[in-house]
Amino acid sequence: MALILDPFLPSHTSLPLPPKTNPITFFLAAPPSRCPATSTAAAAAAAARPFGPSSLRLRAVSGITEAPLIGHEEESEEVQEGRHTVQYDWTEEWYPLYLTADVPDDAPLGLKVFDKQLVLYRDGGGVLRCHEDRCPHRLAKLSEGQLVDGRLECLYHGWQFEGEGKCVHIPQLPSDAKIPRSACLTTYEVKDSQGVVWVWMSQKTPPKPEKLPWFENFARPGFQDTSTIHELPYDHSILLENLMDPAHIPISHDRTDWTAKREDAQPLCFEVTERTDRGFAGWWGREKDGSMPNFLRFDAPCVLQNNREIIGKNGEKHYFTGLFLCRPTGQGKSMLIVRFGGTMRSPLAKIFPKWYFHQNASKVFEQDMGFLSSQNEVLMKEKVPTKELYLNLKSSDTWVAEYRKWMDKVGHGMPYHFGHSTISLPELPAVVEHAPAGLVAGASASSPAKGGLAAMHAPNLANRYFRHVIHCKGCRAVVQAFEAWKNAFVAIAAALTAMAILACSRQWKVALLVSAAASLGGAYVCSTVVAMNTTNFIRTHRRL
């Protein structure tokens, strides 16, 4: 997926200017105006280095210098200093749970942060509530339950809980008995900020408001965004390094939209201007442009943004952001909120409906899915740090290396991690749930709190419907509406055909048959829209 430009960014713009520094930047340098050149001496020194014990090198042959790599033999004192660990507790962070607009009004929603299962819902007053997704009675999932008068009810035995987590009703309890004090839920603090629901995962440390992310561009007047949410079948660290990898876009997403073209694959320039215990930031651009107009920032635990500023013809400054909010949802799984927006919209964004951009985003993820899942599999199988496996180029993989080195600092405070030089494997094997959710799975397939049994609705992270549509109110409504229109067109076509058979006049027969054909055409269009929203993209360059 990564940094494909969105419809908010005009296809033809004036010379971009670097964005202002973020208020939380500690020592952000001015954006470089040109790509740093590699000196002849440095190239010769690199070519003269011997082979490392665990890294492949491209040697100088016939005057061609060795490709500049990012490896442990080349680490500077600054990078080696970054190896030190820092105090870090993964629970003392805010994690993006869901887009606020997509939280169901009438059903609980089961979500995960690493291996912690949560249930999110709105109580009778519309207030967002979050608890551990486990009934204290017999450990049934509360997200399998329902809302009764604003109370969360477990569908196993009907125990009901109010918003603060206190049990207020047990059907099986005698009338003269009191509800046990221990019959309460573990509660998590949630905040609705800039259209996203965030959860504070610590049960020991009170929530820290200063850690709650705030995105300056999203608060600017006139800023509009297209936001989507996706479940993905690979680890959050694999997802994040993919999102901060602009080099793969021309190849992996060739012609997916008007910004990615295979022939544009080229060396990139990077300049890291900030490294802290909370992340890193810097500038990047294409080598042939001689400038780095894009500003990238990664902040703990899993927030990535790519910003750009553009000066319009009248001197007005416009702001654009690609924001990626990632949530680890267990071993080999993650959930991502994607938000592309700006203070100026491309005319194309006004022509196409939102669902078109949503299905296009799903297509982008499907283009990456195969090799990212296999990458995840290799990391789990090899059980060694990424420096033993990756061959990172300085002209394409700088952000990836920075991210894995940041993991070296904080990985000890996470359930598991794969760093540049260190790893810690999961202590417990991943739990695979086979049962689809929902009391009546087929009827509940359109609800994000439930799963389904039909082919399109099967709870499978390789299925576009399950990965995106059930989490998006807008796309669910589109699919349902076009399904209804398709059925209506088919019924109309059948009725018109029957009338044409019974008609005596030749002119009426022709008119009715033409109308029937038009209705079938309408049904085909509706079917195509449904397929666009629910059918996975499959590459056609392979011979199956």
Side-chain angles (χ1 to χ4, degrees), residues 43 47-48 51 57-67:
F51 281 87
R57 284 289 179 264
L58 304 177
R59 304 296 302 196
V61 179
S62 302
I64 300 177
T65 59
E66 177 185 8

Side-chain angles (χ1 to χ4, degrees), residues 83-90 277 406-419 422-425 427:
R83 283 184 177 178
H84 76 278
T85 60
V86 297
Q87 184 177 357
Y88 187 82
D89 182 345
W90 74 271
D277 296 342
W406 175 80
M407 283 286 234
D408 287 339
K409 293 182 182 181
V410 305
H412 64 91
M414 305 175 75
Y416 59 89
H417 85 286
F418 292 89
T422 62
I423 65 168
S424 59
L425 297 175
E427 295 182 1

Side-chain angles (χ1 to χ4, degrees), residues 223-293:
F223 192 92
Q224 299 181 60
D225 71 285
T226 295
S227 298
T228 61
I229 187 167
H230 307 265
E231 282 194 274
L232 298 164
Y234 39 83
D235 189 70
H236 76 285
S237 65
I238 299 289
L239 171 60
L240 278 168
E241 73 169 35
N242 172 252
L243 294 171
M244 59 180 67
D245 172 24
H248 84 282
I249 294 174
I251 304 297
S252 299
H253 309 304
D254 180 31
R255 271 40 181 210
T256 300
D257 62 13
W258 54 91
T259 64
K261 298 178 181 179
R262 187 180 185 86
E263 56 269 25
D264 287 340
Q266 61 187 278
L268 303 176
C269 298
F270 303 88
E271 183 72 19
V272 181
T273 54
E274 175 186 340
R275 290 188 183 96
T276 74
D277 296 342
R278 301 286 300 166
F280 57 88
W283 303 84
W284 69 274
R286 298 185 299 181
E287 184 180 75
K288 74 174 184 180
D289 294 338
S291 64
M292 304 187 210

Side-chain angles (χ1 to χ4, degrees), residues 20-92:
K20 293 180 180 179
T21 58
N22 188 295
I24 63 173
T25 299
F26 298 106
F27 49 94
L28 182 61
S33 59
R34 298 192 60 82
C35 295
T38 303
S39 68
T40 304
R49 292 192 184 96
F51 281 87
S54 60
S55 59
L56 177 65
R57 284 289 179 264
L58 304 177
R59 304 296 302 196
V61 179
S62 302
I64 300 177
T65 59
E66 177 185 8
L69 304 174
I70 303 174
H72 57 281
E73 300 92 340
E74 301 170 331
E75 289 175 350
S76 63
E77 292 182 3
E78 181 182 25
V79 173
Q80 291 180 6
E81 185 275 334
R83 283 184 177 178
H84 76 278
T85 60
V86 297
Q87 184 177 357
Y88 187 82
D89 182 345
W90 74 271
T91 66
E92 296 182 5

